[in-house]
Amino acid sequence: AQSVTQLDSHVSVSEGTPVLLRCNYSSSYSPSLFWYVQHPNKGLQLLLKYTSAATLVKGINGFEAEFKKSETSFHLTKPSAHMSDAAEYFCVVSDPNRDDKIIFGKGTRLHILP
Amino acid sequence: DGGITQSPKYLFRKEGQNVTLSCEQNLNHDAMYWYRQDPGQGLRLIYYSQIVNDFQKGDIAEGYSVSREKKESFPLTVTSAQKNPTAFYLCASTPGSGRLSYNEQFFGPGTRLTVL
């Protein structure tokens, strides 16, 4: 069955240090994978998406993610955290071979320490 | 400006009352979705619609109803049958071209419903 696991419910980093938000998925041969960001009491905004093109995907605000099929992972990274990155992040998997079902991870809350 | 609007931003309901949450989009998207968000649970799909006058149940449809009479509008009614309706509700849409799973979802700002 299709699933997505965000390995950390909370991550804290200091401003200016790297960010790593982990996501593992279970899906078919060629899933689509997304990362969304949600600021408090707001809707979700797309950061980046993978749809079987380049495995390293660059998104907005300096974020990027790498699709690793062998590890079934799609971790989100940023070289240097900014205070404005404090938000909740959702990893999403959808499978075009399974009726386009879209599955959201439970989210990772990113805290930025001054 | 193209986008999705949801109203109201905050909604309070007494137990036993039905309430309707509005979702409107001017993106000319074919597909629209309703999600419920609870702390620590991510987003759960309530209903979705890929075309006017058609909609499908999601994972947690019990106690909710929808309609899709116009392409740009997808209102959600939370009925008195929904036992725990206090939550943050998000509406989203995607373009209709190609497989839905390839497309990003565009989200509205959400409605926070509180049952008193």
Side-chain angles (χ1 to χ4, degrees):
Chain A
Q2 194 180 14
S3 68
V4 58
T5 302
Q6 292 186 241
L7 295 155
D8 305 293
S9 59
H10 292 265
V11 169
S12 295
V13 302
S14 297
E15 190 175 20
T17 65
V19 175
L20 170 63
L21 304 183
R22 299 182 294 167
C23 173
N24 285 97
Y25 68 91
S26 171
S27 186
S28 70
Y29 177 74
S30 56
S32 295
L33 294 158
F34 306 79
W35 275 99
Y36 288 85
V37 61
Q38 183 183 32
H39 290 90
N41 293 310
K42 302 287 187 185
L44 278 68
Q45 179 186 15
L46 181 72
L47 278 177
L48 48 82
K49 68 177 181 180
Y50 167 79
T51 54
S52 72
T55 57
L56 182 61
V57 182
K58 294 188 183 298
I60 62 171
N61 300 335
F63 284 95
E64 61 182 39
E66 186 171 8
F67 172 70
K68 291 187 176 180
K69 183 183 173 186
S70 61
E71 299 176 9
T72 61
S73 70
F74 191 57
H75 301 335
L76 181 70
T77 60
K78 182 174 180 177
S80 176
H82 190 271
M83 293 300 290
S84 61
D85 295 328
E88 189 151 25
Y89 293 78
F90 293 94
C91 182
V92 179
V93 60
S94 63
D95 191 340
N97 298 311
R98 291 181 182 271
D99 300 323
D100 289 325
K101 192 169 176 66
I102 299 170
I103 304 293
F104 282 77
K106 294 190 175 183
T108 298
R109 171 85 52 189
L110 177 62
H111 304 271
I112 310 297
L113 307 173
Chain B
D1 268 322
I4 301 179
T5 57
Q6 290 185 242
S7 61
K9 188 173 178 65
Y10 298 96
L11 186 57
F12 298 90
R13 183 193 103 175
K14 293 181 180 179
E15 282 193 31
Q17 286 182 336
N18 292 355
V19 289
T20 297
L21 282 59
S22 168
C23 177
E24 304 277 331
Q25 55 100 357
N26 60 4
L27 300 167
N28 200 33
H29 287 173
D30 289 304
M32 296 185 75
Y33 305 77
W34 273 106
Y35 291 94
R36 171 183 172 136
Q37 185 177 22
D38 296 281
Q41 296 213 35
L43 275 66
R44 292 182 289 169
L45 182 64
I46 304 172
Y47 269 98
Y48 67 101
S49 168
Q50 294 182 250
I51 195 168
V52 173
N53 292 323
D54 187 49
F55 47 83
Q56 307 295 328
K57 291 183 178 180
D59 300 315
I60 56 164
E62 186 175 351
Y64 300 97
S65 65
V66 293
S67 62
R68 187 87 186 276
E69 297 176 1
K70 299 186 295 182
K71 186 176 184 178
E72 56 271 21
S73 178
F74 191 42
L76 173 75
T77 297
V78 183
T79 75
S80 57
Q82 169 50 237
K83 297 306 178 189
N84 185 22
T86 295
F88 191 52
Y89 291 87
L90 287 160
C91 180
S93 69
T94 58
S97 57
R99 298 303 295 268
L100 293 178
S101 57
Y102 293 147
N103 295 319
E104 72 171 282
Q105 293 188 302
F106 292 77
F107 285 84
T111 292
R112 187 165 297 281
L113 172 64
T114 303
V115 174
L116 303 172

